[in-house]
Amino acid sequence: MADLDPRTILLLGGFAIGLAFGAIARWSAFCVRGAVEDLVSTPDAPRLRGYLLAAAMALLGTQALIGAGLVDVGKTLYLPALLPLGGVVLGGLAFGIGMVLTGGCGARLLVLAAGGNLRSLVSLMVLAIAAYATLRGLLALPRQAFSGATGVDLKAFGLADQSLTGVAAKVWGVTSTSAQALVVAALVLPALAYVFRRRVAPRHLIGGALIGLLVPAGFAVSGILAADEFNPLPPESITVTGPLAQTLVYGLTYTGATMDFGIAWVLGIPVGAALVAVLRGEAKLQGFEGAGNTARYLVGGVLMGVGGVLSIGCTIGQGLTGVSTLSIGSLLAITAIFAGAILALKRRQIAAALRQRVAGQAADAAIGAASRS
């Protein structure tokens, strides 16, 4: 590694983290959309517990790097002084609804597409196009105007950024180090108590723990191993929506574009997932089932693309990486994503129950008519 320049280390590290994520997520069935579904309908909630363990490990690892003075996350996109309240709430709700419609968040769609799921592949392309249009295209100016109009300037409250550590230090009148320890304990201990409250398939916990550790690994690669004193950049870690859009543009404008950590990480995910899918004999082509099914995936992709940019991240970017920085905006965003997904799942359950009831009434009417004839 000593002979490699910082940029090479950054790209190789990003690709390796993506490859590991894809392989682990495919093996363990790691899925945040599945975690929400478990929350709604499954008492043991194995995927929810895997996700919570991932968030806890990400938080512990990142805060350890911060506490040791190895990484400064203060300049990341998760901790600005302006809290885009409207964007994270509305965008999170849209993203949550979208991932229910498509059957998974962006990361899950990458994993499924690598195994031959064409529905996920099409949804990913729509997601990337919608995200780029919202980031730098036709929807960029409306997005900026909306985020600015609904933003909250935390400097007015004496806060430099969105970190819960700063809030706790100000409210409780303690040092930053003490506030950090108290906030981490308040978030992690209840999560771990829930995760280990009963037995669950080990792959969900192992997969969740390993995926969570990829977050501090990303910060370590970008903020320590690939740090360049001649071209200092803020540290970054894993997220999908923005990098997926950039990856699409990179593929279309390769000769005039430059690869970065996010693109390298996104490219690594399907490679790792495909390797596991092939080794386990799970790779097979799967297509759409009718026009209605196709429309659902397309709408879901648009909602995730627009929502992911509005909320400045997705279930991975905000739900794991952002939360690991103790960002208020990230906690609000993942809460909104879960709320949107729960609403969509509940609506689907109600619709299914109504269809079943109508079908039952029709069957009863047919039996009654037959008995009278």
Side-chain angles (χ1 to χ4, degrees), residues 17 27 37 51 77 88 100 112 119 165 189 216 235 249 281 332 336 344 369:
I17 291 172
W27 168 75
E37 189 172 12
Y51 170 74
L77 56 84
V88 297
V100 170
L112 293 175
R119 301 188 300 270
T165 299
L189 292 180
V249 174
L332 289 174

Side-chain angles (χ1 to χ4, degrees), residues 56-299:
M57 297 304 293
L59 177 58
L60 288 171
T62 300
Q63 292 301 311
L65 291 176
I66 295 171
L70 297 175
V71 172
D72 179 11
V73 298
K75 295 182 180 180
T76 63
L77 56 84
Y78 303 107
L79 295 172
L82 181 68
L83 172 62
L85 185 61
V88 297
V89 173
L90 182 61
L93 289 170
F95 190 95
I97 294 170
M99 75 176 185
V100 170
L101 294 177
T102 61
C105 65
R108 181 62 178 168
L109 294 181
L110 278 168
V111 171
L112 293 175
N117 191 314
L118 301 180
R119 301 188 300 270
S120 296
L121 180 60
V122 172
S123 297
L124 280 169
M125 294 177 66
V126 174
L127 190 165
I129 293 170
Y132 200 81
T134 309
L135 191 64
R136 292 196 171 91
L138 291 173
L139 300 178
L141 292 179
R143 169 186 60 83
Q144 292 170 356
F146 175 74
S147 296
T150 59
V152 177
D153 189 355
L154 298 179
K155 290 181 180 178
F157 301 93
L159 298 172
D161 56 40
Q162 296 177 34
S163 173
L164 277 177
T165 299
V167 175
K170 184 176 181 63
V171 172
W172 296 333
V174 297
T175 65
S176 178
T177 302
S178 298
Q180 180 192 37
L182 290 171
V183 172
V184 169
L187 292 175
V188 170
L189 292 180
L192 293 181
Y194 177 81
V195 167
F196 295 107
R197 65 192 176 95
R198 62 176 68 176
R199 292 176 62 86
V200 69
R203 68 183 177 120
H204 292 293
L205 299 185
I206 295 171
L210 292 176
I211 283 176
L213 290 174
L214 294 179
V215 173
F219 280 126
V221 167
S222 63
I224 302 174
L225 299 178
D228 187 353
E229 60 182 5
F230 298 106
N231 183 30
L233 296 172
E236 58 183 315
S237 192
I238 59 178
T239 185
V240 175
T241 304
L244 183 63
Q246 299 287 2
T247 301
L248 175 64
V249 174
Y250 178 78
L252 297 174
T253 61
Y254 168 76
T255 55
T258 303
M259 181 176 285
D260 58 16
F261 175 88
I263 295 174
W265 126 265
V266 164
L267 291 176
I269 296 174
V271 175
L275 287 173
V276 173
V278 170
L279 290 174
R280 300 180 70 180
E282 298 173 347
K284 62 178 180 179
L285 293 177
Q286 302 174 58
F288 290 99
E289 300 172 356
N293 187 263
T294 304
R296 176 166 60 86
Y297 277 83
L298 296 180
V299 171

